[in-house]
Amino acid sequence: MYQVVPGGAGGTITDGVPIKKMDKDSRPLVGAGVIGVILVIAAVTAWCYYIASLRKADLLKTELLDLNKDGFLIRNQAGGIVLKMGFRSGTLDLDSCSKEGVILRCSRSFAGKVNFFIMTVKPKETVMCYRVRWEELESDRPVEHAMSYNESHWYGGAETAVQHWPIAISGQQAPKPFVTSDVYSNRNDFGGILERYWLSSNATAIKINDSVPFHLGWNDTEKTMYFQARYQDSPYKPAPGRPPYAELSYRVCVGPDVTSIHKVMVRRYFPKPNKVPAKEMFRHPIWSTWALHKTNISQEKLLSYAENIRKHGFNCSHLELDDRYTKQYGEFEFDQQKFPNASAMFQKLKADGLLISLWTHPFVNYDSSNFGQCVEKGLLVMEPTGQLPALVKWWNGIGGILDFTNPDARNWFLSQLRSLRSKYGVSSFKLDAGETNYLPWQFRTRAHLPDPSTFTRRYTEMAIPFNERAELRSGYGSQNISCFFRLNDRDSVWGYELGLKSLIPTVLTISILGYQFILPDMIGGNAYPNRTDGNGRLPDRELYIRWLELSAFMPSMQFSIPPWEYDEEVVAIAQKFTELHETLVAPRVIELAGEVLDTGDPIIRPLWWIATSDETAYRVDSQFLIGDDLMVAPVLEPGKQERDIYLPAGRWKSYKGERYDNKEPIHLTDYPVDLDELAYFEWVQ
C-alpha cells in the first residue's frame, strides 16, 4: 500500500516537525502526483498481464499449430493457414493447459474434466504431424470437432453412390456412423470400401484413430465437415467394463505438397499387400455370368457362354459362375436341376483351358439345409442376449449371417470353399457383400466389436487362401488382403450416380484409400430393369462401347454382357481394346503392382500426382494417370466424338503420334475421338 504522508496508525507525527497547512496553489501538484502514481501502477499491471499473455500465447503454440479455447489452426511453412478445426461440443479452459516438451495438454473444458492433448511428431524433415486427442472423463456426451475446408479440395473417405472427385459435399448431414454399407441398396450411406482418411490440396492429411466411435457429418453452407465420437444412438459399443466416455483422436500431417504428404501417410498408417494377384487377371478379361443371365444360370447356359468366349477369339483370365448355382442360399452343393452333371461340366471347361470362380456370400438363409447346423454350432451372429441367431434381411431373402469373429465359423466357411475347390477344381471365389449394414442394429458376436466395420475386415480375410484370383467388394483396413477389390454394382447409365461418370472418381478414391488392385465392375453395368439406358435388356450401345474403352485402361477388365450381344462392330472394338489392354496397359500395371508391396502408391493416379502446383489438376475428374507416364482421357458423354483434354506441363506423345512439348499446362479443346477410340498420351523421356 502506498502512503502519501508518513506516520503511524493514527497519523501521529513521529519526528516532532509541524506540518504546514497546504495552500491552494500546491493542491493541483499533489493531485497530479497521485494520478501519475496511479498511471504508473496501471502501466505496470498492464505490462504484467501482457507478459503473462505472451507466455500463455507461447504456451499454446506448438510448431505450426496455434491453440485457443474454441479450436486450433495449422499453418504451412510459408505461414499460410492450411487447416482450421473448431471444438463444437465444448471449449477448453486454457488455465488448465500446460506444455511439456512436444506435448500441449489441457485437463478441463468448461463442461468438466477432459484429457486433451496435442503431441508434435516429425516423421520427415519436410513433414509435421500432430496427434490430437479429446477424451471425456465425466460424462457420455459426444465429442465433436468441425473442420473447415474452405477453398481447399478434399479426397478420400469412402466409396459412395454419387461419387465426385474431389469430394463434393451437398446439403447438411448430422454426424452418422462411418461404417461400411451397400450403397446400391442404401444410396445415402457410406460405401463398402472406406477408411478414416482424408487428404487435401493444401498438403494436409487427417487419419482418425481406429479406437474412435466415429461419426461423420457435414454442412455445405458452412463448408465444414464434422468429426464426432459418441456411443449414444450408435452401433459402436465401448469395451466391456469401460464407461461410454467418448474419445476423439486423430492425426493431422502437413507437408510440402499433396503427393509427398500422401506418400508419408500411406507408408506410416496403411497396411500393404504382401503379394501380387495372378498376372493373368491383369492381362486378360474376367468373364461373369451375372449381368447377362442373373439368377437364371444353368449348366447349358454356362457351357454356351464359355464356348462363345472362345468362338469370338477372346482370352479369359477366369470365368465367374455367379448367383445362383445352389438350390438355397447358404448351401454349397450344386442344384442338380440346373446343373445335372456339375463334375462333367467342370471337366469340359478345364479341357477347354478355362478356370472357374464361384460366387459366394456370408449369409445362411433360414430355409437352407445348413441353417440348423449353423444355429446348433453357434456359427451365426446372435441377437444381444446371445440366446438366438439374429435374422437379417438381404437382397436374396432372410437368414443368419456367419460370425467371422468366431474361429469355428471361419473354419466352417473355409472348409465349404475348400471342398468345392477340391471336388470340382474351382480356381477361386467372388466374395460378395460383407458390409456392416447387413448386421442388425443390436447384435452379439463371439469377439466384441467396438467398431462394427471390423466385421468387414474379418470377412475380407476369408479371401486370403484364394487370393490369386479372389474378388471382394468391401474393405476396411483390408489393404493387406492381396486380391482384387471390385467397385459396387454399377447401373447401366451415363451419370455420376453409379454410372459411367462415377468410375474414375470411385477408382481414384479407393486408390487413395490404399486399394490398388481394382476391378471397375462389369463393362456396361449390370443392366438392371429401370436402371439402364438403352432398350431395357442391353445397355445403350454407345454407353457399352465407351465403358469398354475406359475399362481397358483399368488394372483389370471384367465382361458380363458379352460384345457379341450387339453386333460385329462392337465385337471388333472389344477385340481391339482387350489387345490394347494386354500389350500397353497390363505390362505397366503389373510393374506398378509390384511397387505397391513396398510403397502403397496408387496404380491409378490423379493428375495432381505429377502436377502438385497446378490448381486445375485438382479438379479434373474425367482423366487419370497410370503411373506417372500414361495419361488417359476417355469420352464419357453420349453423342460425343470429341472432348476437352487437360494436358499437364511436360513432353507428351498422343496415341495418334502428335507431340506436345509444353512448359505450361494446356487445354486441347474439342479434341477429336472417334467411337472406336480413346485418347491417351504417353510421357516422352
Side-chain angles (χ1 to χ4, degrees):
M1 180 69 68
Y2 288 92
Q3 290 181 296
V4 178
V5 180
T12 304
I13 305 304
T14 58
D15 54 8
V17 178
I19 299 175
K20 295 181 179 180
K21 188 175 181 180
M22 188 178 298
D23 58 33
K24 293 182 180 180
D25 293 336
S26 62
R27 288 176 184 175
L29 295 176
V30 174
V34 172
I35 293 173
V37 170
I38 293 173
L39 290 174
V40 169
I41 295 171
V44 170
T45 303
W47 178 256
C48 292
Y49 276 114
Y50 175 68
I51 294 299
S53 66
L54 286 179
R55 289 173 180 170
K56 177 62 73 174
D58 184 61
L59 173 69
L60 299 181
K61 290 178 181 287
T62 175
E63 297 293 347
L64 305 173
L65 183 146
D66 296 347
L67 175 69
N68 60 62
K69 65 183 180 65
D70 298 312
F72 62 85
L73 60 84
I74 299 176
R75 303 177 188 274
N76 58 22
Q77 295 289 352
I81 297 174
V82 294
L83 184 133
K84 290 183 179 179
M85 191 73 78
F87 303 147
R88 281 175 55 91
S89 54
T91 57
L92 288 174
D93 179 356
L94 297 183
D95 289 334
S96 74
C97 299
S98 61
K99 189 174 183 182
E100 306 164 10
V102 296
I103 300 178
L104 198 163
R105 189 184 303 275
C106 305
S107 60
R108 292 192 310 273
S109 73
F110 285 100
K113 292 182 179 180
V114 299
N115 176 19
F116 174 85
F117 72 80
I118 298 175
M119 178 178 178
T120 304
V121 182
K122 199 166 186 177
K124 290 185 66 177
E125 186 63 30
T126 58
V127 174
M128 189 69 68
C129 293
Y130 305 92
R131 291 178 55 200
V132 182
R133 180 178 182 182
W134 183 308
E135 180 184 14
E136 290 289 337
L137 299 178
E138 292 184 332
S139 75
D140 59 355
R141 60 178 170 266
V143 180
E144 185 174 316
H145 293 180
M147 183 190 74
S148 300
Y149 57 88
N150 294 328
E151 301 305 318
S152 57
H153 306 294
W154 285 85
Y155 313 91
E159 180 183 16
T160 54
V162 180
Q163 198 93 47
H164 292 284
W165 180 270
I167 295 170
I169 292 175
S170 61
Q172 289 79 45
Q173 172 63 55
K176 62 181 181 179
F178 192 71
V179 295
T180 58
S181 182
D182 176 0
V183 293
Y184 198 84
S185 59
N186 303 279
R187 299 206 173 198
N188 292 321
D189 284 353
F190 304 112
I193 296 176
L194 58 72
E195 299 293 334
R196 302 167 167 201
Y197 173 69
W198 288 268
L199 179 70
S200 124
S201 57
N202 278 341
T204 306
I206 295 180
K207 177 73 168 62
I208 309 294
N209 288 356
D210 292 343
S211 60
V212 175
F214 182 55
H215 299 67
L216 179 68
W218 55 84
N219 186 315
D220 65 347
T221 303
E222 298 177 356
K223 297 187 180 300
T224 301
M225 294 173 65
Y226 304 138
F227 300 150
Q228 186 190 80
R230 76 168 192 262
Y231 288 111
Q232 310 97 308
D233 187 30
S234 170
Y236 294 97
K237 304 300 173 191
R242 293 196 61 183
Y245 295 167
E247 169 209 321
L248 180 60
S249 54
Y250 50 91
R251 297 169 177 86
V252 182
C253 293
V254 181
D257 61 75
V258 62
T259 302
S260 298
I261 194 64
H262 178 66
K263 287 184 176 184
V264 170
M265 299 298 286
V266 168
R267 284 156 178 72
R268 286 179 64 86
Y269 302 124
F270 287 0
K272 313 293 186 301
N274 55 26
K275 62 183 295 187
V276 176
K279 292 181 179 178
E280 287 76 14
M281 287 191 69
F282 296 97
R283 294 191 181 109
H284 302 147
I286 300 163
W287 297 78
S288 170
T289 62
W290 172 250
L292 183 65
H293 294 297
K294 302 296 191 296
T295 59
N296 296 319
I297 190 61
S298 66
Q299 181 170 327
E300 180 183 0
K301 290 178 180 177
L302 179 64
L303 290 172
S304 174
Y305 191 67
E307 182 182 352
N308 275 317
I309 294 173
R310 293 303 191 208
K311 175 183 174 182
H312 290 90
F314 288 97
N315 288 321
C316 176
S317 165
H318 60 268
L319 174 56
E320 287 180 351
L321 174 53
D322 214 293
D323 184 16
R324 157 179 187 177
Y325 55 89
T326 62
K327 192 170 184 180
Q328 303 294 344
Y329 295 104
E331 297 176 354
F332 296 87
E333 291 295 332
F334 279 83
D335 183 343
Q336 292 192 351
Q337 289 188 337
K338 300 172 75 174
F339 297 87
N341 195 339
S343 296
M345 177 187 73
F346 277 96
Q347 290 173 4
K348 172 69 167 63
L349 292 167
K350 183 178 179 180
D352 291 340
L354 289 171
L355 299 177
I356 303 299
S357 176
L358 296 180
W359 176 79
T360 190
H361 53 83
F363 306 103
V364 182
N365 277 13
Y366 72 91
D367 55 358
S368 161
S369 61
N370 285 325
F371 184 76
Q373 177 189 165
C374 290
V375 172
E376 184 178 344
K377 293 183 176 181
L379 306 183
L380 302 175
V381 173
M382 307 297 283
E383 47 81 40
T385 67
Q387 300 299 310
L388 295 170
L391 292 181
V392 298
K393 184 177 181 180
W394 62 298
W395 68 89
N396 276 330
I398 298 174
I401 184 167
L402 289 166
D403 179 2
F404 293 104
T405 74
N406 181 351
D408 293 337
R410 295 161 67 91
N411 291 335
W412 182 84
F413 183 70
L414 288 176
S415 71
Q416 303 298 324
L417 302 188
R418 289 187 175 115
S419 177
L420 285 168
R421 184 171 64 177
S422 174
K423 185 174 182 179
Y424 298 112
V426 173
S427 65
S428 193
F429 296 91
K430 171 184 176 179
L431 285 81
D432 214 351
E435 299 90 352
T436 61
N437 70 294
Y438 290 112
L439 294 168
W441 184 254
Q442 299 290 333
F443 64 90
R444 176 181 290 187
T445 51
R446 176 67 62 88
H448 177 69
L449 289 181
D451 179 356
S453 293
T454 306
F455 182 86
T456 296
R457 186 185 309 170
R458 296 289 169 262
Y459 178 58
T460 60
E461 292 167 357
M462 297 297 97
I464 292 175
F466 315 103
N467 59 13
E468 280 284 310
R469 297 174 187 272
E471 177 185 325
L472 288 160
R473 83 167 194 191
S474 58
Y476 177 70
S478 307
Q479 296 93 335
N480 63 316
I481 309 298
S482 304
C483 68
F484 272 83
F485 286 81
R486 174 178 64 88
L487 306 192
N488 207 309
D489 291 20
R490 303 285 118 172
D491 288 328
S492 300
V493 297
W494 288 91
Y496 284 102
E497 183 174 343
L498 297 177
L500 177 60
K501 287 184 179 180
S502 72
L503 285 184
I504 295 174
T506 307
V507 169
L508 289 173
T509 296
I510 66 175
S511 293
I512 289 296
L513 299 180
Y515 297 88
Q516 311 308 342
F517 309 139
I518 300 171
L519 273 175
D521 199 37
M522 301 167 188
I523 292 169
N526 286 269
Y528 292 128
N530 303 319
R531 298 187 183 274
T532 299
D533 292 340
N535 61 19
R537 190 181 76 86
L538 294 176
D540 175 73
R541 181 179 183 272
E542 182 186 6
L543 172 67
Y544 181 88
I545 292 170
R546 293 306 192 188
W547 205 305
L548 159 67
E549 293 165 353
L550 171 55
S551 294
F553 285 82
M554 290 293 168
S556 188
M557 301 178 70
Q558 187 174 43
F559 283 102
S560 187
I561 294 172
W564 54 83
E565 288 290 314
Y566 291 93
D567 51 52
E568 288 302 318
E569 183 184 12
V570 176
V571 171
I573 294 173
Q575 290 169 338
K576 170 184 174 180
F577 276 91
T578 53
E579 181 180 356
L580 187 64
H581 176 84
E582 182 177 351
T583 57
L584 175 68
V585 178
R588 278 179 165 83
V589 169
I590 292 171
E591 180 181 357
L592 292 165
E595 296 174 5
V596 167
L597 309 187
D598 296 322
T599 67
D601 288 349
I603 293 173
I604 304 298
R605 302 173 181 177
L607 262 58
W608 51 251
W609 192 265
I610 61 169
T612 57
S613 60
D614 186 346
E615 170 62 24
T616 302
Y618 287 110
R619 302 193 302 271
V620 175
D621 70 347
S622 62
Q623 299 173 219
F624 60 92
L625 296 164
I626 301 175
D628 289 345
D629 60 356
L630 183 59
M631 196 273 290
V632 184
V635 173
L636 305 174
E637 298 278 353
K640 298 289 187 180
Q641 295 198 29
E642 69 282 324
R643 65 155 293 166
D644 294 344
I645 295 174
Y646 187 73
L647 203 59
R651 301 176 66 190
W652 299 93
K653 178 183 177 181
S654 79
Y655 70 106
K656 298 177 181 180
E658 304 149 326
R659 291 182 176 270
Y660 301 88
D661 189 358
N662 47 304
K663 295 181 180 179
E664 298 291 334
I666 60 173
H667 283 92
L668 305 178
T669 305
D670 291 335
Y671 186 86
V673 187
D674 291 341
L675 183 60
D676 64 344
E677 293 180 328
L678 179 144
Y680 62 90
F681 300 76
E682 296 181 83
W683 181 272
V684 180
Q685 297 295 334

